[in-house]
Amino acid sequence: MIPSSVDYTRASSVTEAIRLLTDNPDAKILAGGHSLIPAMKLRLNAPSLLIDIARIPELRFISDEGDKVVIGAASTHHDIISNEAVQDMKAMIEAGELIGDTQVRNMGTLGGSIAHADPSADWPAVLLALGASIQVQGPNGERSIAANEFFLGFFMTALDEGEIVTAIHIPKLAEGQQTAYRKFMQPASRFAIVGCGVSVTVEGGLIKDAKVAFTGVSDAAFLDEGVAAALIEQPVTLETIEAAANAAAEGDIHINEDHFSSQAYRKHLAKVYAKRALAGACGLD
Amino acid sequence: MPKITVTVNGTSHTSEVEGRLLLVHYLRDTLHLTGTHVGCDTSSCGACTIHLDGKAVKSCSMLAAQADGSTITTIEGLATGNELHPLQEGFKEEHGLQCGFCTPGMIMCAADLLSHNPNPSEQEIREGLEGNICRCTGYHNIVRAIQYAANKSLVVSE
Ligand SMILES: Cc1cc2nc3c(=O)[nH]c(=O)nc-3n(C[C@H](O)[C@H](O)[C@H](O)COP(=O)(O)OP(=O)(O)OC[C@H]3O[C@@H](n4cnc5c(N)ncnc54)[C@H](O)[C@@H]3O)c2cc1C
Ligand code: FES
Ligand code: FES
């Protein structure tokens, strides 16, 4: 299948990309193209102009900045999982290694994945669990958006018109903090039916801080406060984890349903994968 | 129309291309390098796998324009004259193909795998090929073909 006609240009800087985006209302940013090009081939998307940002040097880097790791938006999934700076963030590695396949990981980017905000994408759950923040730049300058304020809904983010994601800031792990990611994947597409990213901080044998995030479960990735609350001040045991995980995907949230999985099955999977991810982070699996 | 310059299997080509032209169509229809196949419309099968600046990518899921300035290797660029690349030899020796449609993509993906993991386990080979689908072989002989190439330990990453 062939996309409809489109103009193509390569931006040489972030400022130029923003100007092109502002001047061309039907234009779209192109990063790895591994969500956008397949959608254009299916004619689900037909922008008039593609603004390629993949080779802008200021967008493709990974740096250790003391209290945080900063990842340029155009860093590929492969760049990230093979970088020294994130190796102790197990959730990043475990999620990144399960994205698509080798070829997809060589092209697809972190910035593209989060800007696209597919409800089944892996990175959003990891960024939520790690308390990341997203740096964006637009015609009105730069701002930073906390991950838990970024993913607003079905393919919907907090990005304003003309804004692009420039970098992702991930706080370094604290003493006693461990992370993990587990996913139940759709066997053909490898996208998450349920993916769970967690961070657990243990001090003196008790869980002092916990973040549990899901992708695939609802119309956007989200932090499950119920599971996190049930872990606080609890000892690190499988019993504690199982009890907390049973609180997953309860309460007032919309649960996705499709021909792979009913709402009831997804809810069940959320509890199972919360348990597995938490056990993984705590070294109990 | 964007003007692109790419080096494909060691030869530089400059072409004007339509913005929407997929890289796989540029390789097949413009450069007549038909070893790179199109097996699906959904970015799933990997038959179109080539190396873009040394890394395996699906050429059906990117534009020719995105490759401007890059170095590309296709299946046609692997052998040295009449001497087969160890992976090509492996597929021949171990009967790693039946209809052969998936083979170019399998080999290009395996070459990426061996370039950073010269001695992969069977499990690592299977995981490394998760983006490539074969409708004929059942994969066992594909895995053996790649083990053959790894054992030859000759694999020169191009
Ligand atoms: C076969 C296959 C399997 C896949 N499996 C998985 C999987 O298991 N898990 C998973 O999470 N993903 C999966 N993906 C999606 C893949 O990870 C994509 O690469 C990713 O979702 C989008 O990144 P990209 O760089 O390719 O973005 P593009 O396709 O270039 O862009 C996607 C969207 O984001 C916008 N955009 C891109 N970059 C920016 C930016 N910096 N600022 C603002 N907007 C921007 C574009 O305008 C476009 O609307 C798969 C894709 C394929 C083809
Ligand atoms: S033709 Fe490219 S993945 Fe099938
Ligand atoms: S040999 Fe026929 S598809 Fe693999």
Side-chain angles (χ1 to χ4, degrees), chain B residues 96-103 106 133-137 142:
Chain B
L97 63 145
Q98 288 178 24
C99 80
F101 195 86
C102 69
T103 314
M106 288 287 176
I133 292 173
C134 175
R135 284 280 113 113
C136 304
T137 63
I142 292 178

Side-chain angles (χ1 to χ4, degrees), chain A residues 28-38 53 59 73 77 98-101 104 107-113 115-116 120-123 159 163-166 183 189-192, chain B residues 42-44 58 61:
Chain A
K28 268 200 161 295
I29 294 289
L30 178 69
H34 269 43
S35 291
L36 187 51
I37 305 286
I53 59 165
L59 291 180
H77 310 321
L98 292 179
I99 296 180
D101 49 51
V104 170
M107 284 297 287
T109 69
L110 176 57
S113 174
H116 192 57
S120 297
D122 296 300
W123 288 131
L159 282 175
E163 274 185 332
I164 68 170
V165 177
T166 53
K183 92 165 156 178
S189 78
R190 310 180 71 79
F191 271 98
Chain B
T42 49
S43 313
S44 319
K58 292 178 173 175
S61 301

Side-chain angles (χ1 to χ4, degrees), chain A residues 1-84:
Chain A
M1 276 178 281
I2 294 171
S4 40
S5 286
V6 64
D7 286 330
Y8 169 95
T9 188
R10 231 177 236 187
S12 55
S13 67
V14 171
T15 328
E16 190 192 359
I18 294 167
R19 184 182 52 72
L20 286 162
L21 198 54
T22 313
D23 291 349
N24 298 279
D26 290 336
K28 268 200 161 295
I29 294 289
L30 178 69
H34 269 43
S35 291
L36 187 51
I37 305 286
M40 288 174 63
K41 285 170 70 178
L42 296 170
R43 308 262 172 137
L44 295 172
N45 218 319
S48 59
L49 171 69
L50 292 173
I51 305 161
D52 191 344
I53 59 165
R55 301 200 191 207
I56 300 179
E58 60 193 293
L59 291 180
R60 194 160 177 188
F61 66 92
I62 299 173
S63 65
D64 185 328
E65 298 193 359
D67 59 343
K68 58 180 182 278
V69 173
V70 179
I71 305 180
S75 305
T76 64
H77 310 321
H78 174 83
D79 289 345
I80 296 167
I81 56 181
S82 54
N83 194 283
E84 218 22 67

Side-chain angles (χ1 to χ4, degrees), chain B residues 109-135:
Chain B
C109 191
D112 180 312
L113 172 70
L114 294 183
S115 74
H116 57 261
N117 184 359
N119 195 14
S121 65
E122 176 180 341
Q123 183 64 21
E124 286 169 334
I125 293 174
R126 290 182 184 276
E127 283 170 7
L129 295 179
E130 62 205 357
N132 295 69
I133 292 173
C134 175
R135 284 280 113 113

Side-chain angles (χ1 to χ4, degrees), chain A residues 96-152:
Chain A
E97 284 180 341
L98 292 179
I99 296 180
D101 49 51
T102 299
Q103 295 96 317
V104 170
R105 294 190 291 272
N106 281 339
M107 284 297 287
T109 69
L110 176 57
S113 174
I114 65 173
H116 192 57
D118 187 304
S120 297
D122 296 300
W123 288 131
V126 178
L127 299 192
L128 284 167
L130 292 175
S133 60
I134 291 137
Q135 310 304 305
V136 310
Q137 196 173 325
N140 301 321
E142 293 176 48
R143 62 188 180 119
S144 171
I145 307 171
N148 64 358
E149 289 166 2
F150 187 80
F151 303 104
L152 300 183

